[in-house]
Amino acid sequence: MLPATRIHSDGALDAALDRIGGRDVDRPDTPDLHVTAVRRLPAVAAQLAPFPEALDPRLKAALVSRGVEQLYTHQAEAIEHALAGRHTVVITPTASGKTLCYNAPVLNAILQDPSSRALYLFPTKALAQDQLAELQAMCEALETQGIGVFTYDGDTPQDARRTIRSRAHLVLSNPDMVHSGILPHHPRWAKLFENLRYVIVDELHAYRGVFGSHLCNVLRRLRRICRHYGSNPVFLCSSATIANPRELAERLTEQPFELVDRNGAPRGEKFFVFVNPPVVNHQLGIRRSYLAETRRVASEFLKRNLQVIVFAQSRLSTEILTTYLKDDFEGIPGGPEKIRGYRGGYLPLRRREIEKGLRDGAVRAVVSTNALELGIDIGALDVSVMAGYPGTIASTWQRAGRAGRRSGRSAAVMVASSAPLDQFVVRNPSYFFDASPERALIDPDNLHILVDHIKCATFELPFASTETFGRPNVQEILAILSEQGLVHRADEASPWTWTNESYPADAVSLRSVSSDNFVIVDITQETRVIGETDFTSGPGTLHPKAIYIVEGTLYQVEKLDFEGRKAFVRAIDCDYYTTAITYTKVTPIDTFAEDRSAHSAAPHRTHGEVHVVSRVVGFKKIKFYTNENVGSGELDLPEQQMHTTAYWLTIPASVMGVLPYASDDRRDGVVGLGFALKQVAQLLLMCDGHDIGISIDSGETGGGQGAAASPQKIFVYDNYPGGIGFSAPLYGLHRELLTSTHKLIAECPCENGCPGCVGPIGNTGPLAKVAALRILDLLLDVSPAEIGATIASSNEEVVPF
């Protein structure tokens, strides 16, 4: 049963939570799920404040007519800052009314000066569509004619774009469209830039890593064009909970900010439950499939007619869970769909249809990737179920907040996978509940990103000889571009102008390595486009014979046109899905920092530039429900290459040589160590799993115990061209990385290795755990007595690192 905080009520939500927390006495065969934590978040009353005096009376009347007679305290504070012309960032939980914090000052400015303009930036087109409906309702309540509110994105018809440029007071767009569709054509948008009073950046926390680094450069270009037209807009930002909202806002916009972080909105009662699927094979340390447990947990809520959102960690997991839940709950074929999938790659009309179904209640459950993590209006859901730890505290709270957004009681359930990071969080609930959220990091001066935006900026406006753009010397970069025939200046006092025929913004994708997406074409009957996949994911998702899934419908890839960026698929009826096998090789190019100890057994740590080559070499067929491997195939696809930065650990030959194991077992120890090292690195860096990659360079080892051994290198690299700033701090955290990894492996209760430490035995070997521990003992110079104690404690009580 649930721990002491068990809910004593007969309600559907309570019954489902009790059912998740223990056995049903009427069904003794029911599995006993391991609930490791239950936290009750009590309801919180609203804290209210009057409208600011400077707010236009017409706007006050419109808000009152919509039921807003007073503001929440954080709304009043943010609006006062904005009306005073101060850059402001608001950080409050989901469904706390952040939208009004920026809509009110924007509409106030237009009421007082009809020539005023505002530009809204949302990370997705769906969020812009949501905000359009809200703003149009506000304008109707104002009963003021002529306030033009329009979305401007890739879906905007060509014939509507001229009207929008001339009539729009509020332009709702996204960074991608501003980058490629507005800034390069700024003369057409002269009215907007001349009168731009406010720039709104919603969902600020989404702009980290590569996307945030690109946005910083887009905003540099935007402010440069605003200066050209004589405007100086105020930036208003809103964010979910992160550790450094003011720092991130100031880094993105390079302006000083006021922070509003005291939430005045009410909150309904919420229960947060951690579930760890039980171990089904103690010898191998294998737990019951977390996808199967997620299916079971979601089913308990669906049986009681509660509306559920299930978050999966990948597109494939999303489709597998959608298939499972459809099998369990869908009625007559062809009838209304109560269970839907939702992810990137679906076409816009399908996504809008699913969002509407959630709002009006026709859709009872949606299985989504992080695509629904952001604040798209999907109504007041009852439960959020997470299949696996999302990777960060901030993302987990954001996903939990998708249930009970407006009022009433709700629940969030996190089902842990076997991954070390999941196991650490589920065994140490206080890490999640008591720690602060992660910091959002960006690196806008990454040369790979910066040079692309300098090209775009030069295309938009000539660069003066004294002008700056970011921290690096832009004049030196422009001189190099001049040698490539892209820019030119008459003499040293003249400005740099763009002289090439190319359109630089088209060659820059803000979100991925390449701007080319693969389009998926269904050729079963009539030829039709059914989705798209980004370039990086394409080879692993759309290789020949791959099973591509859309909301439970299976398609097999018949042909991948790599050059044309198209995958041709045909509907198929089968009982398996496919996963790709990828080979990665990392080659060092340059060294930025290195620490070589005089001690022959001490590890070498290095930070430098590397060349990464990855290629999809095969695939496996995995049977639905049982997860059996029912087949495989080899593939020959083009390589994908990039230069990036990395931290790497060199295990000296002297350490490898004294290991009392055969060469294969030594190799297994290094592979297991690399597996654990990546998980700990992700935790220390507070980054997403896909932000970093791992590769092992083993060299040649001898044939048996005591034979000559070669040094082993374990690379942890930034998974983006040019690097994004993760490898440098990892180099500084070298000692902590090794000690935390040692603790993770030593204190795992398994005997010979499992997915929670060095990886499953099937992927490594029976001695992987003990060999990895022995390597770390030698690297950390642990005494023999400590080694014995560590090994003994590894089979006793579990105390996660």
Side-chain angles (χ1 to χ4, degrees), residues 394-438:
S395 287
T396 308
W397 280 115
Q398 184 76 357
R399 293 182 187 189
R402 298 305 279 161
R405 283 171 52 84
R406 293 169 183 162
S407 61
R409 302 170 72 245
S410 62
V413 181
M414 196 275 283
V415 181
S417 74
S418 294
L421 188 56
D422 288 43
Q423 288 301 305
F424 169 72
V425 171
V426 83
R427 293 175 190 165
N428 292 261
S430 60
Y431 167 81
F432 173 79
F433 288 109
D434 302 335
S436 66
E438 295 81 6

Side-chain angles (χ1 to χ4, degrees), residues 670-740:
V670 176
V671 171
L673 174 57
F675 180 89
L677 208 65
K678 180 180 186 290
Q679 313 298 324
V680 177
Q682 184 184 337
L683 185 71
L684 293 178
L685 294 170
M686 296 180 178
C687 66
D688 290 334
H690 58 75
D691 287 335
I692 55 177
I694 189 114
S695 181
I696 296 171
D697 180 7
S698 61
E700 295 296 328
T701 58
Q705 180 178 334
S710 301
Q712 309 282 300
K713 290 186 174 71
I714 301 176
F715 294 89
V716 183
Y717 59 89
D718 290 19
N719 210 9
Y720 299 101
I724 202 62
F726 290 123
S727 54
L730 205 57
Y731 177 82
L733 292 166
H734 169 76
R735 182 79 184 180
E736 186 178 352
L737 176 65
L738 294 187
T739 54
S740 296

Side-chain angles (χ1 to χ4, degrees), residues 275-435:
V275 173
N276 199 13
V279 175
V280 294
N281 185 321
H282 289 273
Q283 185 176 2
L284 300 180
I286 296 173
R287 294 182 178 274
R288 181 177 290 122
S289 163
Y290 80 103
L291 292 180
E293 294 304 340
T294 301
R295 172 194 179 193
R296 189 191 310 277
V297 168
S299 297
E300 293 297 338
F301 295 110
L302 285 168
K303 287 174 189 173
R304 293 161 177 83
N305 202 33
L306 295 168
Q307 200 174 17
V308 180
I309 181 168
V310 179
F311 284 104
Q313 295 294 81
S314 67
R315 294 180 178 186
L316 179 59
S317 297
T318 298
E319 294 295 355
I320 291 170
L321 279 168
T322 303
T323 302
Y324 289 174
L325 290 174
K326 277 178 175 285
D327 287 349
D328 291 342
F329 290 97
E330 290 282 62
I332 303 167
E337 294 184 271
K338 295 181 180 180
I339 313 295
R340 303 297 299 265
Y342 190 104
R343 61 173 174 79
Y346 285 4
L347 299 179
L349 286 178
R350 181 188 291 267
R351 293 200 297 267
R352 299 298 89 77
E353 175 194 332
I354 297 166
E355 292 158 18
K356 180 178 181 297
L358 285 166
R359 286 194 295 270
D360 62 28
V363 174
R364 302 308 300 165
V366 63
V367 184
S368 175
T369 58
N370 61 357
L372 281 178
E373 184 178 309
L374 301 177
I376 299 166
D377 182 13
I378 53 175
L381 306 182
D382 299 304
V383 182
S384 171
V385 180
M386 289 163 268
Y389 179 60
T392 65
I393 295 171
S395 287
T396 308
W397 280 115
Q398 184 76 357
R399 293 182 187 189
R402 298 305 279 161
R405 283 171 52 84
R406 293 169 183 162
S407 61
R409 302 170 72 245
S410 62
V413 181
M414 196 275 283
V415 181
S417 74
S418 294
L421 188 56
D422 288 43
Q423 288 301 305
F424 169 72
V425 171
V426 83
R427 293 175 190 165
N428 292 261
S430 60
Y431 167 81
F432 173 79
F433 288 109
D434 302 335

